[in-house]
Amino acid sequence: MRYRSLFTTIVLLFALFSLKAQNDYFFAEGTRFDPKIPTPEKYLGYPIGTLHTRHDAIVGYMRELARISDRAKLDTIGETYEHRQLVVLTITSPENHRNLESIRKEHLKLTDPTQRVGDYTDMKSVVLLGYNVHGNEPSSSEAAMLTAYYYVAGQSAEVRAALKDAVLMVDPTFNPDGRDRHSTWANSYLGDPMVSDPIDVEHNEAWPRGRTNHYWYDLNRDWLPLAHVESQSRIDFYHKWYPNVVTDFHEMGTNSTYFFEPTKPFGSENPVVPRDNYDGLNNLFAGYFHEALDEIGSLYFTKEQYDNSYPGYGSTYPDIHGALGLVFEQASSRGHVQDSPTGKVAFAFTIKNHVTSSLATVRASVGEREVLLKHMENYFDSALEEGAKNPVKGWVFGDPADDGRNQAFIDLLLRHKIKTVALNDDIELDGKNYKAGKAFYVPNAQKQYRMVRTMFEKVIDFHDSIFYDASSWTAALTYNMPYAEWKGKQDLSGKELTRNDLKGTYARVPKTNYAYLIEWNEYYAPKALNYLLEKGVYVNYGSKPFSIETNEGVKEYGYGTLMIPVSRQEMDADLVHAYVEEATEIAGIRAQSVKTGFSTSGVDLGSGSFTTVRKPKAIMLIGGNTNSAEAGEVWHLFDSKVGMPITKVDMDNAGRINWSDYNTLILVSGSYNSLGESTLDRIKLWVREGGTLITIKGATSWAIGAKWVNEKYAPRSERETPERMDYVTSRDFYGAQSIGGSMYMTDIDITHPIGFGYTSRELPVYRNHSTLIQPSSSPTNTVVKYTENPLLSGYVSKANLKDIGGTASLIATSMGRGNVVMFVDNPNFRGMWYGTNRLLFNAVFFGNY
Ligand SMILES: [Zn+2]
């Protein structure tokens, strides 16, 4: 008994010692903790900083805290593509936990301009501590566990005050799939002793690396497009709470120090965010950050860089919602320890800085509670006020020919809580007809007015000319949405929409023994087409318009209409009917049936203008120096919008491809010379024998440079040699000459198979590169061409704009019996370009035109 108790004492002492050692490293000396709450080290079995913690273990620790403590509660807010949980640990006093729902409801009054709060005495600061949006910037999730521990186990007066006055929400991993991809890499190459040599494999992950999510998307660009489940779940949660402060923790190059906001003034700020956010709140919080980092002797910098303008950043979206979004950047150890010119950077050290900033964020959020609450209330009051004062009452939009794209755009608006109505009456604006049923209205007079501006306003005046990222994000243009300002006296009336109203247009089609027709101008028509091809149904596409009597009356059909003849199939009429039903139902679109092939105008259904669709067997090269973001966009597009598999082959395995198994090859930006001569000759032969080669952006430059096609770069106009300038100003000068990311108008040939399904010749495109391609010398090859003065939205220098005007955006050319479809611009940028996606659908389904 005696011995046993002595033994227990020794074990306890040892445990306390190691607990103390870890705690003393990460927290201020003498911080007292409740011994009943396990430290991360105790729970995980290793000290924080000595291994990269798996996401499931992070979730496990959060769950353990919620199980043991009445200060914490865990919510699962969604899951990733790889079924990892997205969780939020809510930490506050037990009393606040008991009243959490009423605290939330009180808090939401701040966001409602019809309710006046004014007295904030009993209200709480709501702080969303978010971590690890970039999977290979791993220190932050480790910091999340320590931060959660600090507030769940902490016994100090400061912690108790924070729990009383704030609701803390720890979202430990914004991007669990990317985090685990990176962590598995770093852990599996961890040596004993550790290797700090930067060239060691531990510090150099393989393609596609861990920054991005399952589909290789940067989730720190996705708060606006909401292309992914992680962001969709997060935004739903966000709008349940409207936090006052949101953190976004990152890592940067190993040779740097630490960064906290303010970001670079003016140039990198968002145009719709009130100045008070930057001049007031940011500076107020910076005081808390520098004090905390000074205390532990950490070097840092502020104000010089980091973009705060693009609304899809986790640190900018909150600024457009009455909150303070904060980005932090820590010099990365990328691995467990890495050499830098100023000594070794250890993983634990990088974690410590993020812990320090996390605690300082909470300190500031509690200390400035009333300032934050007032800021939020004013923010939404002033949003409604400004919206109501705007001479533009609101925005009318809607594509008469594409319900799928209309609904996708409305879905985006509604996810961002933007009030949207379906118009009761037809309206004509700027020479365009908006027909009831296909026309919608967003009023400016609403509390989300600043998000409305984000969706519709074009921006071409800028304070600065250097952009870290995009300088334009006008969502309506990315969806190629016809839209117009409404300047009437009253708001237009209609039914307010909810996401339940967005169910597609599918309706049963009567069986016929003759043929079915599907309009190609519907965004989701490729999904139906793919389904039919999978089922072995022969489908034709028409290359000329016609009108014909259908079950819905006489209907006009445009270029690319799908025609499914019944008697020519290798299956009976009932089965054809069943497949047409299933295909249109899953795609959410309609088919029509016809009993005759005789058109009332245009070509008949037996015309030579109908061609049988070739079932795509698509392959895409990845790895090497290919652009993972572009490859991920292609992969995600065909998975999520078409349901069509694409075989992804690493560049190293390209020599093993049996080319006769495929008819479509997609190359994203990258240099393909490393494939070697024999593989390249094989691909060339495959195209000449009838394959379709699709090149995107950099791959188009590569194909032209390698002389696979007979197209040419367009000349750049002569630039004046700059006057002598001071070295320090040169970065700004040359930055202004580059093309950051802007939107341009093009003219599209809608009679070309690659242009099928478009009903207007006007097509906005996205350009963030300086490659200029001449229109083809073959007159029908330039399917998409920049207009002469093409800028729609975003920054571009005058000289660059002049050069871009009149160049090619997409060229399709033949090569032997095959075709090469060359995208100068990326049609899938960030999963938001519903407008240009169709070009890629056409290239894949009609690429052998
Ligand atoms: Zn980052």
Side-chain angles (χ1 to χ4, degrees):
M1 197 66 191
R2 253 179 86 94
Y3 285 111
R4 204 171 138 190
S5 100
L6 182 65
F7 177 75
T8 312
T9 313
I10 290 168
V11 169
L12 256 176
L13 269 175
F14 182 76
L16 273 173
F17 174 75
S18 78
L19 178 153
K20 194 167 156 14
Q22 270 259 297
N23 284 350
D24 279 356
Y25 179 70
F26 289 110
F27 305 118
E29 225 183 297
T31 313
R32 285 184 302 115
F33 293 99
D34 179 350
K36 285 200 299 293
I37 308 293
T39 60
E41 176 177 0
K42 182 154 186 238
Y43 177 83
L44 298 166
Y46 52 86
I48 289 286
T50 60
L51 198 72
H52 287 56
T53 306
R54 293 191 321 267
H55 178 69
D56 63 327
I58 295 170
V59 172
Y61 180 64
M62 297 290 164
R63 181 157 290 129
E64 183 68 359
L65 293 180
R67 188 182 70 80
I68 296 175
S69 171
D70 56 2
R71 291 180 181 178
K73 167 175 155 279
L74 191 76
D75 288 301
T76 302
I77 62 166
E79 62 174 24
T80 68
Y81 294 103
E82 297 173 23
H83 297 289
R84 291 186 178 87
Q85 287 178 32
L86 300 166
V87 297
V88 174
L89 186 76
T90 303
I91 308 171
T92 189
S93 71
E95 193 197 338
N96 288 344
H97 266 299
R98 284 191 291 276
N99 303 315
L100 204 56
E101 188 52 20
S102 67
I103 290 173
R104 187 180 75 89
K105 285 194 175 130
E106 275 303 300
H107 182 77
L108 291 187
K109 286 184 184 165
L110 298 173
T111 72
D112 180 355
T114 65
Q115 305 213 42
R116 185 83 226 140
V117 180
D119 179 7
Y120 310 112
T121 321
D122 293 327
M123 297 180 73
K124 315 294 168 197
S125 260
V126 178
V127 187
L128 176 60
L129 295 160
Y131 299 86
N132 216 164
V133 69
H134 292 146
N136 59 3
E137 300 173 4
S139 54
S140 63
S141 290
E142 313 283 343
M145 287 187 284
L146 288 161
T147 302
Y149 170 72
Y150 184 86
Y151 290 103
V152 172
Q155 300 293 304
S156 66
E158 185 205 331
V159 167
R160 287 181 194 283
L163 298 180
K164 180 178 156 286
D165 285 341
V167 176
L168 310 179
M169 294 166 167
V170 179
D171 188 333
T173 320
F174 279 170
N175 174 17
D177 291 350
R179 177 180 174 87
D180 273 3
R181 196 159 68 233
H182 170 77
S183 294
T184 303
W185 177 277
N187 289 339
S188 54
Y189 288 106
L190 170 62
D192 181 15
M194 292 180 187
V195 179
S196 58
D197 186 345
I199 198 74
D200 186 79
V201 63
E202 181 191 337
H203 312 299
N204 297 279
E205 338 155 62
W207 197 102
R209 297 170 281 278
R211 176 183 175 94
T212 50
N213 79 341
H214 175 79
Y215 281 108
W216 313 332
Y217 268 66
D218 187 337
L219 291 180
N220 195 34
R221 304 293 182 272
D222 199 38
W223 288 65
L224 177 68
L226 304 181
H228 291 284
V229 289
E230 294 92 342
S231 319
Q232 292 162 8
S233 307
R234 188 148 293 120
I235 263 347
D236 282 352
F237 180 77
Y238 190 98
H239 287 278
K240 248 181 220 150
W241 270 101
Y242 288 87
N244 297 102
V245 176
V246 180
T247 64
D248 191 22
F249 289 95
H250 292 258
E251 290 181 14
M252 56 187 163
T254 306
N255 297 347
S256 191
T257 57
Y258 196 81
F259 174 86
F260 58 84
E261 294 197 17
T263 48
K264 190 180 168 201
F266 300 106
S268 53
E269 294 169 354
N270 183 289
V272 306
V273 172
R275 284 238 52 85
D276 168 43
N277 185 299
Y278 303 116
D279 300 337
L281 294 183
N282 266 139
N283 290 322
L284 207 52
F285 271 59
Y288 290 83
F289 300 140
H290 83 70
E291 198 174 290
L293 291 160
D294 289 344
E295 188 92 7
I296 62 167
S298 270
L299 289 172
Y300 51 79
F301 66 100
T302 64
K303 302 181 283 284
E304 289 174 69
Q305 62 185 69
Y306 288 107
D307 190 15
N308 217 341
S309 58
Y310 171 63
Y313 293 133
S315 57
T316 303
Y317 190 84
D319 293 342
I320 313 175
H321 288 84
L324 180 64
L326 293 163
V327 66
F328 299 91
E329 295 272 356
Q330 162 65 46
S332 183
S333 61
R334 195 62 43 84
H336 297 84
V337 62
Q338 195 177 157
D339 295 336
S340 87
T342 48
K344 291 188 196 309
V345 180
F347 192 31
F349 172 73
T350 66
I351 296 165
K352 181 178 176 170
N353 283 330
H354 277 338
V355 171
T356 303
S357 296
S358 298
L359 306 192
T361 300
V362 174
R363 209 171 295 133
S365 304
V366 172
E368 309 301 337
R369 186 180 59 90
E370 294 217 6
V371 176
L372 291 165
L373 299 174
K374 192 169 175 204
H375 173 79
M376 181 168 276
E377 179 155 49
N378 287 345
Y379 178 92
F380 286 104
D381 287 353
S382 66
L384 177 63
E385 226 169 88
E386 283 171 31
K389 265 194 249 157
N390 193 328
V392 177
K393 267 276 168 220
W395 306 85
V396 173
F397 70 90
D399 192 315
D402 188 351
D403 293 297
R405 199 153 37 79
N406 286 341
Q407 295 200 3
F409 184 57
I410 295 166
D411 186 59
L412 181 73
L413 298 174
L414 296 180
R415 283 182 185 277
H416 287 298
K417 306 295 174 206
I418 292 170
K419 182 183 170 188
T420 307
V421 302
L423 286 181
N424 293 333
D425 304 306
D426 296 0
I427 186 165
E428 192 184 320
L429 288 169
D430 305 340
K432 276 187 187 136
N433 271 311
Y434 295 87
K435 289 229 171 306
K438 315 235 178 200
F440 309 90
Y441 178 70
V442 169
N444 270 335
Q446 60 173 303
K447 69 172 196 172
Q448 283 292 62
Y449 169 61
R450 296 191 181 102
M451 280 302 286
V452 175
R453 292 181 61 188
T454 300
M455 295 292 170
F456 291 99
E457 266 185 14
K458 296 169 187 162
V459 184
I460 39 177
D461 290 324
F462 292 91
H463 185 279
D464 216 341
S465 48
I466 301 177
F467 294 90
Y468 175 82
D469 192 82
S471 65
S472 177
W473 40 78
T474 316
L477 294 176
T478 73
Y479 278 73
N480 185 25
M481 193 50 66
Y483 73 103
E485 295 174 345
W486 166 246
K487 290 183 172 167
K489 283 210 168 55
Q490 300 288 321
D491 272 325
L492 294 169
S493 62
K495 175 185 175 281
E496 185 166 351
L497 294 169
T498 70
R499 293 191 53 230
N500 286 331
D501 296 314
L502 310 176
K503 289 187 180 131
T505 57
Y506 165 76
R508 283 189 67 84
V509 61
K511 189 188 151 196
T512 175
N513 287 322
Y514 199 83
Y516 299 94
L517 297 169
I518 295 174
E519 291 175 284
W520 188 246
N521 37 276
E522 276 290 342
Y523 183 83
Y524 285 104
K527 189 171 194 170
L529 171 58
N530 180 66
Y531 186 88
L532 293 167
L533 296 175
E534 284 286 333
K535 296 295 179 190
V537 177
Y538 293 111
V539 182
N540 296 321
Y541 68 95
S543 47
K544 290 204 177 129
F546 59 94
S547 314
I548 197 164
E549 174 81 35
T550 75
N551 64 302
E552 295 178 11
V554 174
K555 228 175 123 62
E556 287 175 26
Y557 289 90
Y559 297 97
T561 298
L562 303 180
M563 192 269 288
I564 301 119
V566 177
S567 64
R568 297 287 287 270
Q569 306 289 339
E570 290 166 9
M571 58 185 80
D572 66 33
D574 284 334
L575 200 51
V576 176
H577 180 233
Y579 285 149
V580 170
E581 277 287 321
E582 287 167 18
T584 48
E585 189 169 11
I586 62 153
I589 62 172
R590 270 168 202 257
Q592 292 81 40
S593 61
V594 293
K595 293 186 173 132
T596 172
F598 190 75
S599 299
T600 52
S601 72
V603 296
D604 296 322
L605 300 192
S607 157
S609 306
F610 285 92
T611 310
T612 305
V613 180
R614 179 181 73 178
K615 183 173 187 289
K617 285 176 275 178
I619 191 166
M620 174 167 64
L621 293 183
I622 62 166
N625 69 355
T626 60
N627 183 310
S628 61
E630 286 176 28
E633 285 158 358
V634 171
W635 177 24
H636 177 249
L637 181 75
F638 282 90
D639 269 22
S640 65
K641 306 299 193 297
V642 188
M644 189 190 98
I646 289 187
T647 301
K648 304 175 291 302
V649 179
D650 193 279
M651 293 273 279
D652 288 345
N653 287 330
R656 292 171 42 207
I657 295 169
N658 183 6
W659 288 97
S660 57
D661 291 345
Y662 306 94
N663 55 33
T664 305
L665 168 64
I666 300 174
L667 298 180
V668 297
S669 291
S671 171
Y672 294 90
N673 291 333
S674 63
L675 289 172
E677 215 168 308
S678 74
T679 301
L680 289 172
D681 285 346
R682 182 68 194 89
I683 298 175
K684 219 183 261 183
L685 182 67
W686 167 86
V687 181
R688 289 188 185 288
E689 287 172 344
T692 300
L693 172 63
I694 298 167
T695 59
I696 295 178
K697 260 184 82 178
T700 295
S701 300
W702 170 81
I704 291 172
K707 303 231 178 303
W708 277 41
V709 288
N710 194 22
E711 304 298 340
K712 291 190 184 67
Y713 293 111
R716 272 164 62 86
S717 55
E718 278 292 316
R719 300 290 200 274
E720 278 175 33
T721 317
E723 305 265 303
R724 176 173 182 253
M725 71 177 95
D726 285 347
Y727 182 71
V728 71
T729 59
S730 67
R731 190 176 168 269
D732 285 4
F733 176 82
Y734 288 106
Q737 318 303 312
S738 72
I739 296 176
S742 317
M743 300 178 182
Y744 300 87
M745 183 56 87
T746 63
D747 174 72
I748 174 171
D749 175 3
I750 62 174
T751 73
H752 191 287
I754 304 301
F756 281 176
Y758 288 96
T759 51
S760 158
R761 291 189 69 102
E762 294 183 339
L763 179 66
V765 301
Y766 188 74
R767 162 177 279 260
N768 58 355
H769 61 91
S770 53
T771 305
L772 300 172
I773 308 294
Q774 273 187 24
S776 179
S777 55
S778 305
T780 58
N781 284 5
T782 311
V783 183
V784 185
K785 183 176 174 237
Y786 283 88
T787 59
E788 286 309 316
N789 185 21
L791 182 65
L792 285 173
S793 184
Y795 170 80
V796 64
S797 75
K798 279 204 179 80
N800 281 331
L801 179 60
K802 193 159 164 276
D803 286 353
I804 294 167
T807 63
S809 176
L810 189 154
I811 292 177
T813 186
S814 61
M815 184 169 156
R817 281 187 286 128
N819 287 322
V820 185
V821 181
M822 290 172 283
F823 288 82
V824 180
D825 303 304
N826 178 0
N828 311 315
F829 187 66
R830 290 186 181 158
M832 202 175 182
W833 280 82
Y834 280 66
T836 42
N837 286 160
R838 173 186 301 286
L839 295 167
L840 187 58
F841 294 150
N842 287 341
V844 166
F845 286 101
F846 308 147
N848 66 329
Y849 60 88

